Amino acid sequence: ILLDEKVNEKLVAAPMVYAIETAAYFGLSVSTLYSLAARGRLPEGAVLRLGRQLRFDIAAIEQGAKK
């Protein structure tokens, strides 16, 4: 299966981790993390949708939180 070129670049550019890992890192529940993503409250580029699954860029979220 070939991924879209944009998706492929994003996967290579930054490590994208599962929701459970991201939630644990920030001390959030997984449902809260999904809610933030669904409402667009996370920085642009911090969430990657792969079908029905989401991957998160912890560094991008931290950087967005500093602003």
Side-chain angles (χ1 to χ4, degrees):
I1 297 173
L2 296 174
L3 296 175
D4 182 285
E5 203 169 301
K6 184 176 180 183
V7 171
N8 224 3
E9 288 175 13
K10 186 153 183 129
L11 284 172
V12 172
M16 304 300 278
V17 296
Y18 291 99
I20 194 161
E21 296 168 320
T22 307
Y25 182 85
F26 289 107
L28 302 170
S29 69
V30 174
S31 61
T32 298
L33 182 63
Y34 282 137
S35 177
L36 291 169
R39 292 184 293 151
R41 303 284 302 212
L42 298 176
E44 187 175 333
V47 181
L48 176 66
R49 181 174 294 279
L50 297 171
R52 294 183 64 204
Q53 298 181 356
L54 297 179
R55 298 289 189 276
F56 299 87
D57 180 350
I58 290 175
I61 296 171
E62 284 184 324
Q63 191 173 33
K66 291 179 183 177
K67 292 182 179 182

